[in-house]
Amino acid sequence: TGGMLQYDLFGNGITEFASLSIRAGQDYTFAYIRNELFQNILLDIESEALAQESRYSVLYLNGKYWGLYCLKEDFSKQFYASHEGVSRESVESHRTFIEDNPVFRQEVYGFCLENDLSKAENYEELCRRLDIDAFIDWYIIEGYSANTDIRGNTRYFRSAENGGRWKVALFDLDWAMYYHKSAFNALSRGWCNAVYEQTPMLSSLMENETFRKKLIARYAELIKGPLSNESMLERIDLMAEK
């Protein structure tokens, strides 16, 4: 009703969709699974960071076979409202470069650059503006996967109805797992001539001892579990078989 699809399409209890994505990414001439591999990991660890549920689908147009595509939740305001239990009208989103969202730029990016985050009061204020646990998980997945196409491919959402903190969403990892030397280095130092908006934010955050300890503890937890060699190889084999 009202242009909404009412159906539990992905079996996760979400039954209202204002839009969906049918995705054929840049990875589709190679592995097919890079983006979905890492989004599924984020979903499985029940992270505060956001990721899209998906299912692979065969596409036919007018009876003609067009190949294998991935049907996905769309990163829309309705997506955030459905997953977080807030009203669609309350949701704000930041979908691309920081210069296109002056509110996010001032409240988060600018705050990181203009304040000494080694000071507890400044770090605590940032934590009221940005979901740090979500940001840490996002950073670990982006860094571990050696993604080199982050600029413009990050999404943030928030709602005043659940605290008003920006939550980061994992998006478009087709260029993950190509260049091993870019693991963590790409995001922490920039990749080639691309300086990611998160790079200076991370530099500032690394000055804070509480953040460093939280980051290290979370990475140690994940690398022994879902990001271990055994777990990753098992997951890749399973996705390939499907």
Side-chain angles (χ1 to χ4, degrees):
T1 58
M4 298 282 287
L5 173 64
Q6 306 280 344
Y7 186 73
D8 188 358
L9 189 61
F10 300 99
N12 62 350
I14 303 299
T15 58
E16 290 188 325
F17 300 92
S19 57
L20 294 164
S21 295
I22 300 177
R23 184 173 184 275
Q26 290 174 299
D27 180 42
Y28 275 32
T29 55
F30 301 101
Y32 268 89
I33 66 171
R34 285 181 172 88
N35 181 68
E36 283 63 46
L37 169 66
F38 288 105
Q39 286 199 326
N40 288 347
I41 290 172
L42 201 63
L43 291 167
D44 288 349
I45 64 175
E46 298 182 349
S47 173
E48 290 300 314
L50 304 169
Q52 299 158 289
E53 291 276 8
S54 60
R55 56 191 298 182
Y56 286 101
S57 307
V58 174
L59 178 64
Y60 286 87
L61 295 176
N62 297 324
K64 184 178 180 181
Y65 174 73
W66 279 82
L68 185 65
Y69 287 73
C70 196
L71 183 66
K72 302 180 72 68
E73 291 181 293
D74 190 26
F75 272 146
S76 64
K77 291 184 178 182
Q78 182 61 49
F79 164 90
Y80 187 78
S82 295
H83 281 269
E84 296 292 321
V86 299
S87 67
R88 184 177 175 180
E89 294 73 25
S90 72
V91 178
E92 296 177 66
S93 63
H94 164 46
R95 296 178 62 87
T96 182
F97 306 113
I98 56 168
E99 54 263 30
D100 295 330
N101 190 318
V103 175
F104 182 86
R105 181 181 180 89
Q106 179 181 356
E107 292 184 358
V108 178
Y109 181 80
F111 186 87
C112 286
L113 271 62
E114 295 166 6
N115 293 274
D116 182 359
L117 295 187
S118 67
K119 296 181 178 179
E121 61 269 25
N122 290 335
Y123 177 70
E124 290 166 6
E125 176 58 33
L126 179 65
C127 291
R128 287 188 281 269
R129 303 180 181 204
L130 177 70
D131 189 317
I132 290 294
D133 289 333
F135 190 73
I136 284 175
D137 282 354
W138 173 88
Y139 171 55
I140 289 172
I141 295 295
E142 291 279 15
Y144 175 94
S145 69
N147 187 21
T148 58
D149 192 23
I150 298 169
R151 181 168 167 77
N153 287 324
T154 308
R155 306 289 184 261
Y156 297 91
F157 296 87
R158 74 170 177 179
S159 167
E161 295 178 4
N162 67 344
R165 293 186 301 168
W166 291 98
K167 275 195 174 187
V168 65
L170 192 69
F171 180 73
D172 194 350
L173 278 81
D174 281 344
W175 282 94
M177 300 184 77
Y178 273 97
Y179 308 106
H180 70 274
K181 65 182 179 181
S182 68
F184 289 102
N185 287 327
L187 186 56
S188 299
R189 302 178 182 178
W191 174 253
C192 297
N193 293 322
V195 177
Y196 304 126
E197 59 193 55
Q198 296 85 5
T199 301
M201 290 170 56
L202 282 162
S203 296
S204 296
L205 278 164
M206 288 297 184
E207 297 297 320
N208 185 274
E209 183 178 4
T210 299
F211 176 81
R212 292 197 305 271
K213 287 182 177 179
K214 182 185 283 281
L215 172 63
I216 292 168
R218 182 59 165 164
Y219 184 73
E221 174 190 352
L222 295 179
I223 204 66
K224 293 176 182 177
L227 296 182
S228 68
N229 289 342
E230 295 78 12
S231 178
M232 288 296 296
L233 290 172
E234 181 180 352
R235 185 182 292 268
I236 289 169
D237 288 342
L238 182 62
M239 290 186 72
E241 288 174 4
K242 291 183 178 181

